[in-house]
Amino acid sequence: MANRLHHLLVCLACLFPLGGCDKPADGPIRVSAIGQPPQLDNPNLEPLDAASAFLIEASAEGLVRFDAAGQIEPGLAQSWIVSDDGMRYTFRLARMRWPDGSRMTAQQVAGRLQAARSRASRNPLKPMLGAIDEIMAMTDEVLEIALRSPRPNFLQMLAQPEMGILFKGQGAGPYRPTWQEDGTVLLTPPRNEEEEEEDGPPPILLKGERAALAIARFLEGEADLVIGGTIGDLPLARAARLGNDRLTFDPAEGLFGLAFTAAEGPLTDPAVRQALSMALDRDALSSVLAIPGLATRLSLVPTELEEMPRPAVPAWAGNPLPMRREYAAQTIGKLDVPKPIQVRVAMPQGPGYRILFARLKRDWAAIGVDAQKVAIDDQADLRFIDLVAPARLASWYLRRFSCDANPVCDPAADEAMAAARIAPNMAARRALLANADRLLAAANVFIPIATPIRWSLLSPRLAGFRPNMFARHYAGELAAPSP
């Protein structure tokens, strides 16, 4: 396998000469998103891949959106007010029209937000929308969202493409999409009547395709930006031998590790689950990946979140790796089962995931565990999770391991999370979430490894591009700002 991967990378580097991506470009910005062709999919029904998420952000934005740096700026709402207790958000909508020319109203927007949290919704943000108590259209232009308890960074969740507003299958802009015969989408930017054509942002040609094709087109100067890169296809991007000014990484936050899914067998014992986490050499993996700013993780929740400044860290965190592995091997050795014990690990396809699995397999072999890789949707004992957090909310991390979402859980942690949802103030909420975090850490429901890896390729033309923690890159701010 290693030889085949090496051969593939060498071939990719040789086939596509350097220099094409540095050609000056005029006209539309050409964006290649790794994944399927872009569609204006309803995020309440279908998950969004990189191309469709980019399309929704550009042409069906929500109440607010992210700017280039990942900060909140107006979207459909031209302004908003947050009550002193953080429980009520009042949005004043901009005067906008749908593509058919009809006026956009607060009632329509409220209806779409209600649909995202309805019983039938499969929106990935639905578990977090339980924080909402009521969504009300106060007038045609004013919308109010009341929360059950305060939520810091609530606007970050509303800025995600999953909260984009679609009405009759279309968005209110600001970009207008036109599908080409080859599946590419032309995104036409908004123009002011007094604005010259060259003053505003350029149009965008958005394409969804496999990583190898996207990288090849970038190297040939046929794409200005490649987005949606993960660790799975990172070796292909690395083979292109681009500098740090072309291959760039987002400082993303989220989950990058392994969730336990076995409801029977040796892994039902929290001590065995702990042994698997203790045995991993995270620093060696980080060194192999050599990604600027990549942080290894030992806790389920990252540090310094407003809801939980100091998450639970395992007691063994300060011990050297040899000591940890010796203890882990003793734990495995005491099991009254045939040795080595077998574990099935479900992971996505891609050369980067194969490299990651090879490191896991080697580390676990040192303590008497034989890991076998299976497809991501197959029955498994552990399943790989690689997700960017939609907001800096500790509750997002914890709810991924509620008993409704994961077979390995702690009902007491669920009770603490349920109480936190209706806590009367931030102090009470922090205490309840911290208790849930301690319970989940003791249950060893997750093996954290590092922060998520998200990469992009960008041409010199895109002086407005900024890496950010959400790995979101708004279409209107990609090009250099006008002087």
Side-chain angles (χ1 to χ4, degrees):
M1 179 184 297
N3 289 336
R4 290 199 303 271
L5 177 58
H6 175 74
H7 179 70
L8 172 63
L9 301 185
V10 170
C11 288
L12 182 63
C14 294
L15 282 173
F16 307 112
L18 292 177
C21 56
D22 290 330
K23 295 175 184 176
D26 297 315
I29 294 175
R30 299 155 301 175
V31 178
S32 283
I34 297 173
Q36 298 299 311
Q39 299 291 334
L40 270 180
D41 291 327
N42 183 346
N44 299 333
L45 302 177
E46 302 288 341
L48 302 177
D49 66 1
S52 295
F54 186 94
L55 175 60
I56 284 184
E57 287 177 308
S59 64
E61 64 186 3
L63 288 170
V64 294
R65 69 185 180 212
F66 294 118
D67 67 9
Q71 301 300 311
I72 296 298
E73 64 180 12
L76 298 181
Q78 64 181 359
S79 63
W80 56 89
I81 297 172
V82 184
S83 62
D84 291 342
D85 61 4
M87 302 270 283
R88 200 169 292 273
Y89 288 71
T90 305
F91 299 90
R92 177 167 292 279
L93 302 184
R95 292 179 176 269
M96 301 182 72
R97 295 187 179 274
W98 300 109
D100 65 3
S102 62
R103 179 83 175 274
M104 182 185 69
T105 68
Q107 290 85 353
Q108 293 166 338
V109 175
R112 295 314 305 156
L113 294 175
Q114 292 283 18
R117 67 189 193 116
S118 70
R119 179 174 298 180
S121 173
R122 297 196 295 271
N123 194 306
L125 297 183
K126 180 180 175 180
M128 305 305 300
L129 300 180
I132 297 174
D133 183 40
E134 194 172 10
I135 302 172
M136 300 162 287
M138 312 302 288
T139 69
D140 283 350
E141 297 180 355
V142 177
L143 173 73
E144 188 169 277
I145 299 178
L147 303 182
R148 300 179 190 277
S149 64
R151 292 294 188 278
N153 302 317
F154 177 68
L155 292 176
Q156 293 172 352
M157 188 167 61
L158 293 182
Q160 292 293 336
E162 287 80 6
M163 300 304 291
I165 302 300
L166 288 163
F167 184 69
K168 296 181 180 179
Q170 294 183 304
Y175 282 75
R176 298 299 186 195
T178 304
W179 272 261
Q180 313 293 300
E181 289 185 2
D182 63 353
T184 301
V185 177
L186 174 65
L187 292 167
T188 305
R191 300 289 184 192
N192 296 324
E193 291 183 0
E194 65 275 6
E195 187 176 60
E196 295 293 335
E197 185 72 17
E198 61 270 14
D199 290 341
I204 289 174
L205 280 172
L206 174 64
K207 178 187 287 288
E209 58 191 347
R210 293 185 293 113
L213 290 176
I215 296 166
R217 293 200 322 112
F218 182 84
L219 291 172
E220 288 298 296
E222 297 175 1
D224 300 301
L225 175 65
V226 176
I227 58 173
T230 68
I231 185 178
D233 34 55
L234 178 59
L236 301 179
R238 280 267 167 78
R241 303 173 186 168
L242 295 163
N244 291 336
D245 57 339
R246 298 292 175 268
L247 173 59
T248 184
F249 295 90
D250 286 292
E253 293 185 355
L255 291 169
F256 185 92
L258 295 154
F260 290 94
T261 59
E264 57 185 23
L267 295 189
T268 57
D269 184 348
V272 177
R273 300 198 292 264
Q274 175 183 262
L276 294 183
S277 187
M278 293 173 71
L280 295 188
D281 190 345
R282 294 167 175 80
D283 291 337
L285 175 62
S286 178
S287 179
V288 167
L289 295 175
I291 296 173
L294 179 66
T296 58
R297 283 254 297 275
L298 294 175
S299 59
L300 168 59
V301 180
T303 59
E304 299 180 359
L305 295 186
E306 187 174 345
E307 287 185 315
M308 190 186 300
R310 292 181 296 278
V313 176
W316 50 263
N319 295 336
L321 182 62
M323 181 184 298
R324 286 161 31 196
R325 281 190 174 165
E326 180 180 0
Y327 182 85
Q330 291 174 0
T331 300
I332 299 299
K334 293 176 183 177
L335 295 174
D336 187 18
V337 295
K339 307 295 193 307
I341 69 169
Q342 308 283 323
V343 295
R344 296 159 299 173
V345 183
M347 297 189 73
Q349 296 297 318
Y353 290 117
R354 290 196 292 272
I355 292 171
L356 174 59
F357 176 75
R359 306 293 301 192
L360 298 175
K361 186 176 180 69
R362 188 199 65 177
D363 288 351
W364 287 337
I367 63 168
V369 174
D370 179 29
Q372 300 298 321
K373 183 176 179 292
V374 300
I376 189 62
D377 294 325
D378 284 355
Q379 188 174 1
D381 303 299
L382 299 102
R383 197 171 308 279
F384 189 74
I385 297 179
D386 183 2
L387 293 172
V388 176
R392 302 198 79 234
L393 291 167
S395 49
W396 177 82
Y397 295 85
L398 301 176
R399 291 193 183 280
R400 292 290 308 182
F401 301 96
S402 69
C403 294
D404 288 337
N406 204 62
V408 177
C409 62
D410 186 327
D414 278 18
E415 293 176 6
M417 285 186 275
R421 175 164 277 176
I422 57 173
N425 54 61
M426 277 303 300
R429 179 172 171 79
R430 286 192 190 100
L432 289 162
L433 290 178
N435 185 40
D437 182 44
R438 285 191 295 269
L439 291 168
L440 291 175
N444 292 289
V445 298
F446 181 65
I447 299 179
I449 297 176
T451 52
I453 296 165
R454 295 293 183 271
W455 59 266
S456 302
L457 302 180
L458 62 148
S459 72
R461 179 185 186 190
L462 305 184
F465 182 98
R466 297 288 183 274
N468 62 75
M469 71 177 66
F470 302 108
R472 298 294 183 195
H473 304 289
Y474 175 59
E477 299 185 351
L478 292 176
S482 301

